[in-house]
């Protein structure tokens, strides 16, 4: 049972450990690491260690794996490298051309036998196995219900459906009807994702799809308070405080280069829709140290929300 049914999406470049801690604090019921290549895991290099970094403070630990070879993904799912994680989510939705061409991410929607073998293999780890997929590959031919049924048959414990086809990438209206059909087709929980940019959008998603929960991606970067808005979990935090805390936490876990790039990206999202902030962009990207970045944060975001 999760603390809430408002989930934070896996987001490459963003859902590092500090962001997940923040999302949980604000009410998210489940957060995922960024997608982590099962092939890359065997190298266990600095980048991979960063992706897999977690501590006891993270309430539920969910890693997302990207891979197309059932044997490789199974080996990684069962390996000691993932010992800290309770949940393994399998990426079956990434639309990026290189990923797709390698038979990974959304390409698995076109090869359901392989997708099924990956799920069955991951189940051998004894962990909770979830899948994140899209509504299909082409907009003209969506098949989320059929795909989700295959996931359930293979043993998946939960599926998230991003209500867009691969051809739609990240744009266009979310296909509520496709998600609703997927939800109706199975008895495992189905989480609805795509195009939630306000609390009203989240309510609409729940109403139109009958899903068991929602997953928020880009909007949570812009407005992480959406988790407290939707769950009723109260917070005293301000944007500035969040950013300063994120900087401290990131500095404690990662090197300065990673930290400043991560914080710059968060500031950039935080500035969206705020009047008069454009002029700070240049200063922010020209910052020479974290101390300077701190000063800019305080200047851009006054102490109110
Ligand atoms: C910058 C970026 C990185 C993403 N990284 C991942 C990822 O690592 N794994 C994944 O399953 N989806 C990833 N996604 C897709 C999101 O999780 C989500 O499905 C998509 O953005 C739709 O949700 P939204 O409309 O609320 O943003 C990414 C999306 C963006 C924009």
């Amino acid at each position: 049972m999760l603390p809430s049914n408002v989930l934070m999406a896996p987001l490459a470049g963003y859902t590092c450990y500090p962001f997940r801690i923040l999302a949980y604090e604000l009410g998210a019921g489940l957060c995922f690491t960024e997608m982590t290549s099962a092939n890359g895991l065997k190298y266990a290099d600095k980048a991979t260690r960063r992706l897999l970094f977690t501590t006891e403070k993270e309430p539920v630990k969910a890693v997302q794996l990207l891979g197309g070879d059932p044997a490789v993904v199974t080996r990684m799912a069962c390996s000691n490298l993932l010992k800290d994680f309770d949940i393994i989510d399998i990426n079956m939705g990434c639309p990026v051309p290189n990923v797709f061409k390698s038979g990974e991410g959304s390409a698995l929607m076109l090869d359901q036998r392989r997708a099924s073998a990956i799920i069955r293999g991951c189940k051998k780890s004894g962990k909770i196995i979830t899948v994140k997929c899209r509504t299909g590959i082409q907009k003209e031919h969506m098949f989320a219900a059929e795909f989700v049924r295959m996931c359930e048959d293979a043993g998946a414990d939960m599926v998230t459906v991003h209500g867009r086809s691969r051809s739609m990438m990240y744009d266009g209206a979310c296909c509520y009807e496709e998600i609703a059909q997927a939800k109706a087709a199975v008895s495992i929980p189905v989480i609805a994702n795509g195009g939630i940019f306000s609390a009203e959008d989240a309510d609409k998603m729940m109403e139109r799809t009958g899903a068991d929960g929602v997953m928020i991606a880009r909007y949570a970067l812009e407005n992480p308070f959406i988790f407290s808005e939707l769950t009723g979990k109260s917070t005293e935090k301000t944007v500035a405080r969040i950013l300063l805390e994120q900087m401290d936490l990131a500095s404690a876990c990662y090197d300065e280069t990673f930290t400043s790039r991560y914080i710059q990206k968060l500031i950039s999202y935080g500035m969206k829709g705020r009047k008069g902030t454009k002029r700070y962009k240049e200063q922010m990207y020209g910052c020479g140290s974290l101390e300077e970045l701190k000063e800019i944060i305080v200047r851009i975001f006054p102490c109110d929300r």
Side-chain angles (χ1 to χ4, degrees), residues 117-171:
I118 289 177
I119 297 168
R120 284 184 280 113
C122 287
K123 283 294 280 185
K124 291 180 188 157
S125 66
K127 298 181 192 244
I128 294 169
I129 303 303
T130 63
V131 171
K132 183 161 175 282
C133 65
R134 288 183 172 248
T135 49
I137 302 302
Q138 297 299 334
K139 200 177 174 184
E140 301 69 34
H141 173 59
M142 305 231 207
F143 53 94
E146 177 197 326
F147 192 77
V148 167
R149 219 176 289 126
M150 176 281 295
C151 293
E152 181 178 48
D153 289 345
D157 298 291
M158 182 180 90
V159 177
T160 300
V161 181
H162 174 187
R164 297 185 178 101
S165 63
R166 175 185 182 240
S167 61
M168 293 166 77
M169 299 299 277
Y170 299 103
D171 304 314

Side-chain angles (χ1 to χ4, degrees), residues 220-270:
L221 301 173
E222 205 177 309
N223 175 26
F225 296 108
I226 186 67
F227 293 111
S228 41
E229 275 173 51
L230 290 173
T231 62
K233 191 165 179 184
S234 65
T235 177
E236 295 295 308
K237 289 183 197 284
T238 61
V239 176
R241 192 163 138 210
I242 282 180
L243 289 166
L244 296 173
E245 281 179 8
Q246 285 289 293
M247 189 186 288
D248 286 344
L249 194 48
S251 310
C253 309
Y254 313 120
D255 63 33
E256 184 163 340
T257 311
F258 177 86
T259 302
S260 62
R261 238 187 288 129
Y262 167 60
I263 298 299
Q264 283 165 346
K265 287 190 290 183
L266 278 191
I267 296 175
S268 203
Y269 260 101

